[in-house]
Amino acid sequence: MITQFTRLDVAKVAIAATATSSDATRGAAQPVRGTDMGPEQSAAPQFPNGFYWGVATAAYQIEGSPEADGKGKSIWDTYAHTPGKVKNGDTGDVANDHYRRYKEDVAMMKDMGAKAYRFSIAWPRIFPNGAGEANPKGIDFYSRLVDELLAAGIEPFATLYHWDLPQALQDKYGGWQSRETPKAFGEYSGYVAKNLGDRVKHFFTINEFHSFVEMGHQGVELMVQGKPVRIELAPGLKLEPAALNQVRHHAVLAHGLSVQAIRAMGQPDIKVGPAEVINTAVPVIDSPHHTKAAEAATRELNAAYLGVMLEGMYSDAYLSRAGKDAPKFTDEDLRAIASPLDFVGINVYRPIIYVMASDDGPGYREVPFNVSHPKMFSSWHLLGPEVLYWAPKQLQSIWEPKEIYITENGCAASDQVAADGDVYDSDRVMYLRNGLAQLQRAAAEGVRVKGNFVWSAMDNFEWSSGYGTRFGMVYVDFKTQKRTPKLSAAWFKEAASRNAIV
Ligand code: PNW
């Protein structure tokens, strides 16, 4: 009990010290706060100077205007309009009407204290048929958005593929089943870099390889609190193992060709990397024995995506698991896939598995989630804030990327506008505070994390779950398009302004 009281007292002092030092120390180099507390009780340092406190969205989830200015159809236009695919028959036809309200949305992000914005570019706005003739009105929209962001002092980070494949490529080639799609993606990437690269200095190639490949081409089933949860995304295929492995390979090949095209066509100071949902094995016990085992597990869990991108080869374990269904590839493919990167972006929502060291098998074994393990509001979202420590820590230790971005983290909540007009998303504040404190711990230990993007800047179209699953720090009334910042937006603003959580 005595230890508990002491910790509580220390925490109170730390909070008081943080409050008084916030304005004075903003931007200063790693100040030591609360020096009167004694050496072993001093507060954790801030995030590094210039840390990007960002927010994220994706084109199909917010833009609406599916036919404006010559846009072609994407596989999400088709999928959402297929009866039974999306909850309540919701579609992205209007979404947040961001295509027309982008100025208002940029102003809102500025008000929240966001220093960076990760948005995605809709490929079928730029190439309505996936390849061939570009549509200048498509790139104009993103050019205006980028100008608006820069004028607001918000750094633009653009994702080239956030799942809205041109329908023409699906129809003509079977989409990601063909090598034509990575080739077309390379050309599209080069075109965008050439046209926006004078102002956009950070590009992410592809968002969540693992999600759109597995959930879009087979469907994924997870056990959460003892119940099965099935997730599907467009195009909603159910491929055989060999075809699925080939889609995986084409996805990483597209990334590699995109990196090469950006280097060839864009300005030399452009930085580029992927934005992958890293499958993180979290050690249940914090001893070197178990943490090493967890690292080995994480490396293997990501073999088909981050592994091949960062090592230039598929792991033996992956290839032997795949057996006769292994992907077909050339050495040249591997060289392209492993093109040197400036950073690695990772989306981090939850631990994928907990592990312990083991003398059997690969040196680790999975520890099952207890049925009572807490979760957040969306069906798949088991809670484990420490994953925001382990994911970047393991990423750095296994593959040593130059820089790391957390390209997404956040949670859904049952948000409602209260009688007084505010939205009290206490669970989201809890989630962000605990997760980002873990990220701060990683940064304090020398993990080269340069920024974090909260998913999401505002409520939006949550894929197959539709509009009922709200991930925003800003509430959106989808009938009136009114935006209302939630409690979490106020929390974010405060944390961003002092560049620290604790
Ligand atoms: C990401 N999981 O998807 C996407 O990048 C976003 O577009 C999406 O809105 C956001 O996270 C929230 O879902 C995920 O099952 C989908 O662990 C599924 C999982 C994680 C992320």
Side-chain angles (χ1 to χ4, degrees), residues 51-354:
F51 188 80
Y52 286 110
W53 287 83
V55 293
T57 65
Y60 187 73
Q61 296 181 272
I62 63 165
E63 286 179 358
S65 302
E67 287 170 355
D69 299 327
K71 176 181 168 289
K73 259 195 183 179
S74 85
I75 57 172
W76 268 97
D77 291 309
T78 307
Y79 189 77
H81 279 275
T82 309
K85 294 299 186 193
V86 177
K87 196 166 172 193
N88 301 324
D90 290 347
T91 74
D93 286 1
V94 177
N96 299 39
D97 197 22
H98 171 79
Y99 192 77
R100 300 192 303 169
R101 294 170 192 261
Y102 71 93
K103 288 190 179 174
E104 183 192 327
D105 289 337
V106 170
M108 168 193 91
M109 290 179 228
K110 187 179 179 184
D111 282 350
M112 288 166 68
K115 313 273 185 278
Y117 175 44
R118 173 177 177 244
F119 60 96
S120 86
I121 294 174
W123 182 353
R125 287 199 192 280
I126 313 297
F127 287 96
N129 294 312
E133 193 78 13
N135 169 32
K137 285 191 176 160
I139 201 84
D140 278 357
F141 167 67
Y142 297 102
S143 186
R144 293 195 301 275
L145 171 65
V146 166
D147 287 344
E148 195 71 19
L149 288 165
L150 292 172
I154 300 174
E155 189 65 22
F157 285 68
T159 306
L160 289 160
Y161 185 71
H162 203 123
W163 307 353
D164 42 359
L165 185 75
Q167 181 65 40
L169 296 178
Q170 192 69 44
D171 294 344
K172 211 164 160 192
Y173 304 119
W176 291 104
Q177 295 174 80
S178 163
R179 287 179 77 90
E180 294 300 321
T181 294
K183 269 168 60 188
F185 185 63
E187 278 162 38
Y188 151 70
S189 302
Y191 178 87
V192 174
K194 190 172 169 196
N195 285 280
L196 298 182
D198 56 335
R199 290 156 291 152
V200 177
K201 297 302 171 190
H202 298 84
F203 282 94
F204 299 109
T205 54
I206 291 182
N207 179 69
E208 295 202 356
F209 299 76
H210 181 271
S211 301
F212 87 86
V213 170
E214 315 290 326
M215 295 169 186
H217 299 82
Q218 193 180 56
V220 167
E221 200 159 294
L222 309 160
M223 286 300 284
V224 180
Q225 296 186 332
K227 293 186 208 91
V229 173
R230 190 175 161 78
I231 312 177
E232 281 183 23
L233 298 170
L237 303 181
K238 295 194 176 54
L239 299 181
E240 294 300 321
L244 184 66
N245 281 327
Q246 207 56 43
V247 167
R248 290 175 173 150
H249 180 70
H250 291 154
V252 287
L253 179 60
H255 156 83
L257 296 179
S258 174
V259 174
Q260 292 182 342
I262 292 168
R263 304 272 191 236
M265 305 289 285
Q267 287 68 6
D269 60 344
I270 292 178
K271 291 188 172 185
V272 59
E276 171 61 332
V277 58
I278 187 170
N279 285 324
T280 313
V282 169
V284 268
I285 297 171
D286 303 65
S287 70
H289 186 44
H290 295 296
T291 59
K292 232 176 130 248
E295 201 171 290
T298 294
R299 185 172 173 194
E300 199 44 50
L301 284 171
N302 295 281
Y305 302 110
L306 285 176
V308 68
M309 284 184 246
L310 299 170
E311 297 180 30
M313 55 196 267
Y314 289 111
S315 73
D316 292 341
Y318 171 67
L319 290 178
S320 73
R321 254 198 328 275
K324 66 172 177 29
D325 298 320
K328 295 189 175 44
F329 58 90
T330 64
D331 286 348
E332 200 189 337
D333 285 359
L334 293 180
R335 276 195 296 278
I337 291 167
S339 298
L341 302 173
D342 301 301
F343 53 74
V344 171
I346 48 174
N347 293 1
V348 182
Y349 285 89
R350 52 162 283 192
I352 287 298
I353 53 171
Y354 282 111

Side-chain angles (χ1 to χ4, degrees), residues 293-294 296-298 300-301 353 355-366:
T298 294
E300 199 44 50
L301 284 171
I353 53 171
V355 299
M356 293 180 83
S358 161
D359 293 336
D360 300 330
Y364 53 84
R365 70 181 173 87
E366 189 172 339

